[in-house]
Amino acid sequence: MTPIAPHIAAFLQQRLPVERQASPNTCDSYAHAFRLLFEYASNCLKITPSQLQVEHIGAPLIVDFLNHLEATRGNGAGSRNIRLAAIKSFMRYIEYRLPSALEQIRCILSIPTKKTDVRLVRHLTAQEMQSILDAPDPARRVVFVIAPCCTSVLPVDCECQNWWAFASLTLDSNPSLTC
């Protein structure tokens, strides 16, 4: 049995900040992920975190831990995937230090991430937000009308005050609505 403590200490104190030049936020996030994992593993195995061995941390325990994060802690798929990324990074690190655990590591590295919603625009700069706010001409109204006999939405540019009082609706090859 191989104690996990010296490996995790070297990973968090040397590998991440010095060799990989990870940001302090990344180092803190990884440390938090392992704190949660070790707390969960020690509760499941009924041992203290300092007694955990590398051999205790197998794929079934990791999958149960990830399910625990979602079910008990209420984490979403994104948070789950971040924790899994930290674990996989550590496993890639120790596969060179512990060749005897290669099969166990291979199984952990094969755990898939969960699909999450991908935002088309992750953020907007202040200038981009202002451009969007400045884009509409408040002097003109554009109304979208869903015609009952048509499956399309018709954009209508109305300058009149009572935009709901339409004079005619034309539905031909080029649908239009006039005020």
Side-chain angles (χ1 to χ4, degrees):
M1 299 293 266
T2 310
I4 201 166
H7 298 290
I8 197 68
F11 178 73
L12 293 173
Q13 295 170 358
Q14 181 67 29
R15 175 71 171 173
L16 285 179
V18 177
E19 294 174 18
R20 302 293 295 169
Q21 296 180 346
S23 74
N25 290 339
T26 300
C27 295
D28 291 344
S29 175
Y30 278 36
H32 183 65
F34 287 108
R35 185 185 66 77
L36 293 173
L37 173 63
F38 295 160
E39 182 180 301
Y40 178 79
S42 67
N43 286 338
C44 289
L45 301 171
K46 307 293 186 231
I47 58 175
T48 63
S50 62
Q51 294 173 319
L52 282 173
Q53 307 291 318
V54 172
E55 292 78 11
H56 291 143
I57 310 297
L61 180 78
I62 300 294
V63 170
D64 291 345
F65 166 67
L66 296 171
N67 292 335
H68 163 76
L69 289 177
E70 289 183 286
T72 307
R73 292 182 53 89
N75 292 153
S79 295
R80 173 200 184 275
N81 290 343
I82 290 169
R83 308 290 189 245
L84 180 58
I87 294 166
K88 285 183 174 184
S89 179
F90 175 65
M91 290 300 157
R92 282 190 292 275
Y93 169 71
I94 66 168
E95 75 181 330
Y96 293 100
R97 295 172 60 116
L98 290 174
S100 61
L102 285 177
E103 181 60 24
Q104 173 188 356
I105 293 167
R106 186 191 61 78
C107 291
I108 293 171
L109 292 176
S110 69
I111 298 172
T113 57
K114 275 200 171 177
K115 291 187 179 182
T116 59
D117 294 331
V118 178
R119 296 180 184 147
L120 295 177
V121 178
R122 292 190 181 267
H123 68 281
L124 295 175
T125 65
Q127 182 180 6
E128 290 168 333
M129 285 189 287
Q130 192 60 49
S131 296
I132 290 171
L133 293 172
D134 293 341
D137 181 6
R140 301 182 66 92
R141 298 175 194 244
V142 176
V143 181
F144 291 94
V145 177
I146 301 174
C149 58
C150 179
T151 59
S152 62
V153 176
L154 306 174
V156 179
D157 188 7
C158 284
E159 294 180 15
C160 60
Q161 193 71 344
N162 297 328
W163 53 268
W164 57 88
F166 299 110
S168 66
L169 173 64
T170 308
L171 295 174
D172 52 10
S173 61
N174 188 12
S176 63
L177 194 60
T178 54
C179 295

